Amino acid sequence: MTLRLFDTYEREVRPFVPLDNREVGIYACGPTVYNFVHIGNLRTYLFEDLLKRVLFANGYKVNHVINITDVGHLTSDADTGEDKMEVGARRTGMSAWELADFYTAAFQVDFTKLNILPPDIWCRATDHIEEQIAFIKDLEDKGYTYQTSDGIYFDSQKLDDYGHLARLDIEGLKAGARVDQGERRSVTDFALWKFSPQEEKRQMEWDSPWGRGFPGWHIECSAMSVKYLGDYFDIHCGGEDHIPIHHTNEIAQTEASRGTRLANFWLHGYFLQMENAKMAKASGEFVTLERLIEKGYTPLVYRYFCLTAHYRSQMSFSWENLNAARTALGRLYSAAWSWGEPGEASKIYLQRFTDCLNDDLNMPRALAILWELVKSDEPDPVKKATLLVWDEILALDIQAWRPDSLEIPEQVNELVRQREAARENQDWQGADKLREQIARLGFTLEDGRDGTRLKRSENV
Ligand code: AMP
Ligand code: ZN
């Protein structure tokens, strides 16, 4: 089966044909670097990594661009409120520039830990102010802009099909607009350039033909994607939250300036939801990859966890689900290790796996085939070779795993120590409770003549 992908713009799964023969241009919206990224953000980058690896498996070259938003993303998507970077600078005591460097580096470390392939180009909004001003100037020359007391705005009503990507109900939005429209002509108009406020000195600001200020959030992606990938390229990605505002506005700008919808395919990763908690950077209490590592999970457990859901379905995060992923991955590692040296891969299994992935990246179905192989009667060397081919896409470092790499979370070690102390004090009830707690974390204790042994549970 040839590769088919779901395009949010057309709302259908259709065959993917690259515009330029064999090289596929991908632009993925990067994070706003005012804080650490959370594991929800990372789910989106893991989906994009899967896409890229599937393109490689189909024989394509990829030119992958990710931007870093280090200016202009305001606390409200309605172009009001403060710049998140300036707020972040106040929170941390760093300058806005140091803040950007610090969180960009932290984000890139997460990439490496999760085996996400780095893009060919990282581009920062603040390094492309000139390109953004030129883009706005072009929109102005073509009659798509107007000025208010706080900035230059895009006149969305000048476009016939503004909001097509999100199937926006423009009339409904206008009628129900509870947000303060301010001086904007329509609720769907958005800032291209904001003037620096009179009363405060911004850390990040530049001169422009319209006055001192800073670019709006959406213009950076239109300006940088066009610069690095051209006026019309293959795939634009981001999380589902980008559909109604950010990507809608990127398309509007590019349509007005270049006459294209920017990308041939628009792909969106669906959200990771926290059970009973918010997964929003702005809420301040969110789970980072570092937090998972502190709790004893290896980053690739999180990668495996994300592979178990289709990118177009929302996924709910809980520690139990993560434990289940850890158990499954542990089983896969030790099975693969026990198979010894690879022989020749099974063409039939390889084909079935590829067919699932080429069907709009259906990784959950591909994983079901993987487990079928694990349980099958295929000879061990065949199983091993097949799995190693798949690991080019899974990127779980299957070949590198050794039994002694069983990592015990510090939390479990601590509970084991407490249980030993309880047993020394002959507190058998306490010891049993601790054993149950340890079991809930996915480990079993076996008390033997030569001491107590800790094993990963077979069925969590
Ligand atoms: P941001 O830094 O908020 O611009 O987000 C960076 C990327 O993460 C964007 O592609 C967002 O769409 C995506 N994203 C934000 N929250 C989540 C979430 N809970 N689950 C999955 N992706 C998310
Ligand atoms: Zn963007």
Side-chain angles (χ1 to χ4, degrees), residues 227-247:
K227 169 168 179 173
Y228 292 109
L229 298 170
D231 290 349
Y232 189 56
F233 56 90
D234 293 288
I235 305 176
H236 196 313
C237 307
E240 59 171 318
D241 58 323
H242 284 168
I243 300 171
I245 298 178
H246 183 51
H247 288 172

Side-chain angles (χ1 to χ4, degrees), residues 400-414:
W401 189 85
R402 295 285 173 279
D404 58 2
S405 53
L406 172 99
E407 282 175 45
I408 301 162
E410 189 38 43
Q411 198 186 356
V412 172
N413 279 328
E414 176 55 30

